[in-house]
Amino acid sequence: MTGWELVAVVVAGVVAGAINAVVGSGSLITFPTLVAMGVDPVTANVSNTIGLVPGSFTGAYGYRAELSGQRDRLLRLGLASALGALIGGLLLLVLDRSVFEIVVVVLIALACVLVVIQPRLNALLAERREHAHPHGGPVLWLTVLAAGVYGGYFGAAQGVLLIGLLGSFLDDGLQRVNAAKNVLALIVNGVAAVLFVVVAKVDWQAVLGVALGAIVGGFVGARVGRRIPAPVLRGVIVAVGVAAIIVLVYG
């Protein structure tokens, strides 16, 4: 990776870290950037997951005020996220690489759809929130487990999934839901990262570039990212997602 390519990865990491803190689709920025730099798709996914962990931490830390009183909830749901991440990470490592290259195109397309429909999803969640279970219940635990599997395998838009699930089942405000989402995404990325460091091929230059950018981006997203007009942010994410699909299919 040349110096300018590393700079591009750092910039992508900044954007992804900010997006992850606010929405949760940052991998749609960093993953295609790494692939465009010539990194093998599976190695890019592994390296991207490891690199985004510091940004996930800074994003969660930036929402620490909204995390007050959520300790028991996050301990319970965090276990589901950790187990799901372990399963998803193992699936990434044991399935044939050609399967990943096919599945990831579908997952990116799904992530783009989720980003586009998020306003409608949030409206539906607002209607249901007054009838939500105060602790989520077993259904939320199982669906957070499934989201962890998705995140461990390919994490793009796992934050959108988590916001949808938490908002549907918890009797809480959206900002507190988003804070909980950041912690659960950190757990998923962290567990998958430990697994990948131990047993997977890692591009450490890519990890360094993504991590440096994501640390800054996580702080930026937690502090000022919510001021970015939502339609602009969604448009950028979807455009990058479409570009990623083109790179994977034709690159």
Side-chain angles (χ1 to χ4, degrees), residues 79-176:
L79 176 61
S81 289
L83 289 175
L86 183 60
I87 295 170
L90 289 172
L91 287 174
L92 176 66
L93 297 176
V94 302
L95 292 178
D96 189 87
R97 300 174 79 86
S98 61
V99 173
F100 174 80
E101 292 177 6
I102 295 172
V103 171
V104 76
V105 172
V106 177
L107 293 180
I108 291 175
L110 173 63
C112 290
V113 171
L114 287 170
V115 170
V116 170
I117 68 172
Q118 190 182 22
R120 178 57 181 163
L121 180 63
N122 286 345
L124 292 173
L125 297 180
E127 295 173 5
R128 291 194 55 187
R129 202 164 281 129
E130 61 181 277
H131 306 295
H133 191 291
H135 303 295
V139 176
L140 177 60
W141 196 93
L142 290 172
T143 52
V144 168
L145 173 69
V149 175
Y150 172 87
Y153 187 81
F154 182 69
Q158 68 165 314
V160 177
L161 286 172
L162 286 170
I163 287 176
L165 293 171
L166 297 174
S168 293
F169 289 96
L170 296 178
D171 183 18
D172 220 334
L174 190 57
Q175 289 300 332
R176 284 173 57 80

Side-chain angles (χ1 to χ4, degrees), residues 11-211:
V11 172
V14 172
V15 177
I19 290 173
N20 278 340
V22 181
V23 182
S25 308
S27 289
L28 288 179
I29 305 295
T30 45
F31 174 75
T33 300
L34 294 177
V35 173
M37 299 303 169
V39 182
D40 170 79
V42 174
T43 303
N45 187 42
V46 166
S47 305
N48 177 64
T49 297
I50 299 171
L52 285 177
V53 170
S56 298
F57 176 80
T58 55
Y61 181 77
Y63 277 86
R64 61 193 180 279
E66 288 84 0
L67 290 172
S68 176
Q70 298 200 63
R71 179 177 178 273
D72 291 342
R73 170 191 295 169
L74 290 173
L75 285 174
R76 182 165 50 250
L77 295 178
L79 176 61
S81 289
L83 289 175
L86 183 60
I87 295 170
L90 289 172
L91 287 174
L92 176 66
L93 297 176
V94 302
L95 292 178
D96 189 87
R97 300 174 79 86
S98 61
V99 173
F100 174 80
E101 292 177 6
I102 295 172
V103 171
V104 76
V105 172
V106 177
L107 293 180
I108 291 175
L110 173 63
C112 290
V113 171
L114 287 170
V115 170
V116 170
I117 68 172
Q118 190 182 22
R120 178 57 181 163
L121 180 63
N122 286 345
L124 292 173
L125 297 180
E127 295 173 5
R128 291 194 55 187
R129 202 164 281 129
E130 61 181 277
H131 306 295
H133 191 291
H135 303 295
V139 176
L140 177 60
W141 196 93
L142 290 172
T143 52
V144 168
L145 173 69
V149 175
Y150 172 87
Y153 187 81
F154 182 69
Q158 68 165 314
V160 177
L161 286 172
L162 286 170
I163 287 176
L165 293 171
L166 297 174
S168 293
F169 289 96
L170 296 178
D171 183 18
D172 220 334
L174 190 57
Q175 289 300 332
R176 284 173 57 80
V177 165
N178 195 41
K181 175 267 294 181
N182 284 341
V183 173
L184 295 180
L186 169 61
I187 292 172
V188 171
N189 288 341
V191 170
V194 171
L195 174 65
F196 295 154
V197 167
V198 173
V199 299
K201 179 182 177 182
V202 180
D203 185 325
W204 288 106
Q205 272 193 313
V207 170
L208 176 63
V210 172

